[in-house]
Amino acid sequence: MATALAVQLAKIAAKSNNSLDLRAQRKSHSQSLIFDPAVAAIQDFDTIYQLCLEGFQELCSIDERFHRYRKNLFSEQSKVEDRTQMTASQSAQLDAAIESFLSLVGARLLLKPAVKAVEWLVRRFR
C-alpha cells in the first residue's frame, strides 16, 4: 500500500513536465521573439517582465481594449504563476485569455509594443 507521501510525490511528478531536467528548462526559457537564444537563456523573468510590460502599456495607450489583460496576463502575479501546477480549469482560463489577447493583438504585430507584449506570453506561459 502506497504511503500518503508516495501518492503526493506521484501527483507532483505527473504534473511536472521535465521540471527537474535543467537542459529542457533552459531550452524552453531561451525561446524568444526578440532575443537570440543565447541572450534569452540568461534573462530572468523580472527583466523580461519589465520589458514586456512596457510594450503592453504602450498597447493600452493605443487601444483601451487591452486594459482587460492587465489583471491576468500582465499582472505582477503572472511572474510567479506556474502552468504545470495549475488545475485543468485554471489552465483553460489562461488559454482563453491568451487566445483572446492574441486575437486582439494580431492586427498590430508589426508594432514593436505588440511584439514585446507577445514576448511575455511566449516566455512566461509557453
Side-chain angles (χ1 to χ4, degrees), residues 70-109:
R70 185 180 310 268
K71 292 183 181 178
N72 52 14
L73 298 180
F74 294 92
S75 68
E76 283 283 327
Q77 177 66 28
S78 70
K79 290 193 295 187
V80 295
E81 287 179 343
D82 184 354
R83 198 172 189 141
T84 63
Q85 301 301 315
M86 291 181 177
T87 65
S89 174
Q90 291 170 326
S91 185
Q93 287 177 337
L94 178 60
D95 287 343
I98 290 171
E99 282 184 40
S100 174
F101 180 82
L102 290 175
S103 293
L104 184 59
V105 79
R108 294 173 178 81
L109 281 177

Side-chain angles (χ1 to χ4, degrees), residues 20-84:
L20 298 177
D21 185 351
L22 295 177
R23 180 177 280 164
Q25 282 183 339
R26 275 190 227 111
K27 184 176 180 180
S28 174
H29 185 71
S30 68
Q31 295 173 354
S32 172
L33 299 172
I34 300 173
F35 304 101
D36 54 71
V39 174
I42 59 173
Q43 294 173 321
D44 62 27
F45 279 130
D46 288 327
T47 302
I48 298 164
Y49 177 76
Q50 281 307 121
L51 174 74
C52 298
L53 183 62
E54 289 170 11
F56 172 72
Q57 290 169 337
E58 287 181 58
L59 279 177
C60 289
S61 68
I62 294 168
D63 186 339
E64 290 184 10
R65 294 178 293 171
F66 286 104
H67 284 281
R68 66 181 145 178
Y69 302 101
R70 185 180 310 268
K71 292 183 181 178
N72 52 14
L73 298 180
F74 294 92
S75 68
E76 283 283 327
Q77 177 66 28
S78 70
K79 290 193 295 187
V80 295
E81 287 179 343
D82 184 354
R83 198 172 189 141
T84 63

